[in-house]
Amino acid sequence: MTDDRQTAHAASFTHNADEYAAVRPGYPEEAVDLLLPDGARDVLDLAAGTGKLTQALVARGVRVVAVEPADGMREQLVALLPQVEVHAGTAESIPLPDASLDAVTVAQAWHWFDEPAAAAEVARVLRPGGTLGIVWNDRDEDVPWVGAYGALLHEVAGPQLARGTHPTLGDAFTDVLRTDVRWEHVVSPEDLVRLAGTRSYALVLPADERAALLERVRTLVTTHPDLVGRERVAVPYTTRVYTARRR
């Protein structure tokens, strides 16, 4: 993906933040456990979006600060979690002091960053021994209907930036550990259509092409033999959790 195309895809989320908040999955408790080191008190949720992960961190009783560059995303986050300190900022320029955090979390976003610059900034704001936790939700496309759903999206998506990404963090961090967590997110068939519409590659399509894509998705989720007549659908996910410590 070219830099211009990646920038357009990253910027697209601010225009559909309410749908993103409504239909994107959160994160399983086991994954959240892995992101928070023992004794963590001060945690940054970086590129926090609409607060999908932020909400789970707050529930753990730690002090959470959120940084998010997109205005629309921040509006959703503030409405959901008015008690959280929220800043406009980027992974490459975090508006927080040196060595002020026990953990930094990044959900569904590391692939949008300038990785060396982001890793250096995260190292700057972490205390020695602090943890960086990076997480992605991947649909399990070995399940036939999920594979068919993914195939429709891949027709317009081009290269998948997030899938298979393994963070490279540099000498400031210990080796990166990957842990997979399998779980299910239960939604309605129409939510599957709306979910497709929140993908960056769908958001940047011309209106007629976007409508055509979503209609193909709607046909799939209402006619696939594994989904016909279902009012609720369990979407299988593997959540990839990557953790490393600040040296």
Side-chain angles (χ1 to χ4, degrees):
M1 183 178 289
T2 65
D3 289 346
D4 287 347
R5 186 180 173 207
Q6 182 169 341
T7 298
H9 280 229
S12 67
F13 293 117
T14 196
H15 306 301
N16 206 39
D18 54 343
E19 277 290 273
Y20 191 107
V23 299
R24 282 289 186 104
Y27 300 91
E29 289 296 306
E30 185 179 345
V32 179
D33 289 342
L34 293 166
L35 295 170
L36 288 177
D38 291 342
R41 304 182 309 277
D42 302 307
V43 179
L44 165 63
D45 194 18
L46 180 59
T50 63
K52 290 287 184 179
L53 178 58
T54 321
Q55 187 173 24
L57 297 172
V58 168
R60 298 303 180 91
V62 296
R63 184 183 77 88
V64 182
V65 179
V67 169
E68 166 56 43
D71 293 344
M73 292 286 196
R74 284 198 313 279
E75 290 171 5
Q76 294 288 325
L77 174 56
V78 169
L80 176 69
L81 298 167
Q83 74 274 35
V84 170
E85 178 183 333
V86 180
H87 297 273
T90 67
E92 298 81 10
S93 182
I94 299 172
L96 296 173
D98 295 356
S100 58
L101 301 163
D102 300 309
V104 174
T105 62
V106 181
Q108 303 293 127
W110 188 263
H111 56 294
W112 298 119
F113 301 165
D114 177 330
E115 187 168 56
E121 268 294 87
V122 171
R124 179 185 67 79
V125 299
L126 276 175
R127 295 171 181 136
T131 298
L132 169 59
I134 299 168
V135 62
W136 281 283
N137 283 326
D138 287 339
R139 294 182 307 273
D140 182 357
E141 295 190 352
D142 289 336
V143 175
W145 78 261
V146 183
Y149 179 89
L152 283 178
L153 303 186
H154 299 329
E155 287 177 8
V156 299
Q160 296 294 285
L161 285 175
R163 190 173 290 274
T165 298
H166 191 287
T168 302
L169 304 179
D171 293 339
F173 290 90
T174 60
D175 290 343
V176 177
L177 174 66
R178 172 175 170 172
T179 308
D180 289 351
V181 179
R182 297 185 183 279
W183 65 295
E184 294 180 336
H185 183 225
V186 180
V187 298
S188 70
E190 185 60 27
D191 283 343
L192 287 171
V193 180
R194 296 170 66 193
L195 179 65
T198 69
R199 311 306 301 192
S200 62
Y201 41 76
L203 293 170
V204 299
L205 286 174
D208 58 339
E209 294 180 27
R210 174 181 162 83
L213 169 64
L214 297 185
E215 190 54 38
R216 291 196 298 274
V217 173
R218 182 173 287 106
T219 298
L220 171 71
V221 302
T222 55
T223 63
H224 192 283
D226 293 342
L227 300 180
V228 169
R230 295 271 194 95
E231 294 185 0
R232 305 292 289 173
V233 179
V235 185
Y237 281 95
T238 297
T239 297
R240 293 181 284 130
V241 183
Y242 298 89
T243 52
R245 289 192 177 274
R246 173 75 165 90
R247 295 189 192 276

